[in-house]
Amino acid sequence: QKEVEQNSGPLSVPEGAIASLNCTYSDRGSQSFFWYRQYSGKSPELIMFIYSNGDKEDGRFTAQLNKASQYVSLLIRDSQPSDSATYLCAVVSWGKLQFGAGTQVVVTP
Amino acid sequence: DADVTQTPRNRITKTGKRIMLECSQTKGHDRMYWYRQDPGLGLRLIYYSFDVKDINKGEISDGYSVSRQAQAKFSLSLESAIPNQTALYFCATSDLGDRGYEQYFGPGTRLTVT
């Protein structure tokens, strides 16, 4: 079992709709969670950080964390073509980041 | 200028050759990391260093070695390159800030071993 699991996609989302990405993790002691966006051939860039249960909003992005269910999600509202990328979930485990394989999002006009 | 730089950006080498990938940072961070990325596998940690005197193996360290020459420099070596080390390699740095130990990535080195 991978430590951080994501659906690989691609997730096809109409422009203007909400994209919903999910991530589960195995280390119950994990305390910090990140979402990175990565365009093809480029380096990952941080878009969301969350460490408390519940929702955290930043612009069009909302991260949701449920530690009891070991589940973290990312919502992208009003999806734009520029949101087409791979989204990596990352979890701090034993002082290191464990990355999921990423979910590819394709926003269609 | 970029905060985290990697050289070279692209490299083609032959099986059995020794190569070195270099990473430099101007962020003043103590923690540095080397990852490789393969299609469908996400980022996997090769080695990490929490300060100049601290070097640790990651999940896929076999066939690799590292050197932390200074706080700002962290090099990755492939002693005898093999084709399945063909991948995109990223260096990253981190320090405790408002967003926890957020990692800042370099632009990546695309390595091809023929």
Side-chain angles (χ1 to χ4, degrees):
Chain A
Q1 179 190 4
K2 289 184 180 179
E3 297 201 30
V4 181
E5 299 256 17
Q6 298 181 250
N7 291 325
S8 61
L11 176 65
S12 184
V13 180
E15 186 173 353
I18 296 174
S20 178
L21 291 74
N22 302 317
C23 173
T24 58
Y25 59 94
S26 60
D27 182 3
R28 189 169 287 279
S30 296
Q31 295 295 320
S32 301
F33 307 86
F34 301 82
W35 282 99
Y36 282 82
R37 177 176 62 198
Q38 186 178 25
Y39 294 112
S40 181
K42 303 296 185 182
S43 56
E45 58 177 322
L46 183 67
I47 54 171
M48 290 295 289
F49 162 65
I50 187 168
Y51 60 91
S52 297
N53 278 327
D55 294 359
K56 180 180 179 182
E57 186 175 317
D58 184 358
R60 294 185 296 110
F61 299 102
T62 298
Q64 299 173 317
L65 175 62
N66 183 326
K67 291 183 182 178
S69 300
Q70 296 175 244
Y71 175 94
V72 58
S73 65
L74 179 70
L75 300 177
I76 308 174
R77 291 183 301 282
D78 188 23
S79 295
Q80 301 297 309
S82 60
D83 295 325
S84 296
T86 296
Y87 291 81
L88 302 170
C89 173
V91 175
V92 175
S93 178
W94 295 98
K96 305 183 296 293
L97 270 187
Q98 300 282 349
F99 284 87
T103 297
Q104 184 186 4
V105 172
V106 178
V107 180
T108 56
Chain B
D1 288 343
D3 293 322
V4 185
T5 58
Q6 292 182 234
T7 56
R9 294 293 312 280
N10 288 283
R11 178 74 183 269
I12 299 173
T13 191
K14 294 185 183 298
T15 297
K17 294 291 187 180
R18 182 181 188 277
I19 68 163
M20 179 182 289
L21 309 183
E22 298 186 341
C23 177
S24 294
Q25 53 117 345
T26 58
K27 300 188 76 64
H29 290 170
D30 285 326
R31 298 186 175 198
M32 298 187 73
Y33 310 80
W34 275 105
Y35 294 92
R36 66 176 279 175
Q37 188 173 36
D38 301 275
L41 294 179
L43 287 159
R44 293 183 292 167
L45 185 63
I46 306 172
Y47 270 95
Y48 62 103
S49 169
F50 283 175
D51 66 41
V52 174
K53 296 181 180 179
D54 178 71
I55 304 287
N56 303 282
K57 293 182 177 180
E59 60 182 295
I60 54 162
S61 59
D62 288 348
Y64 302 95
S65 63
V66 290
S67 173
R68 185 81 185 265
Q69 299 96 324
Q71 185 200 41
K73 295 184 181 296
F74 192 34
S75 301
L76 176 72
S77 294
L78 285 68
E79 298 302 325
S80 179
I82 57 177
N84 77 1
Q85 291 177 313
T86 293
L88 185 56
Y89 290 83
F90 288 105
C91 173
T93 74
S94 73
D95 208 351
L96 185 59
D98 291 342
R99 299 197 287 188
Y101 280 100
E102 174 185 355
Q103 294 200 5
Y104 297 83
F105 287 84
T109 294
R110 187 167 295 281
L111 175 66
T112 303
V113 183
T114 61

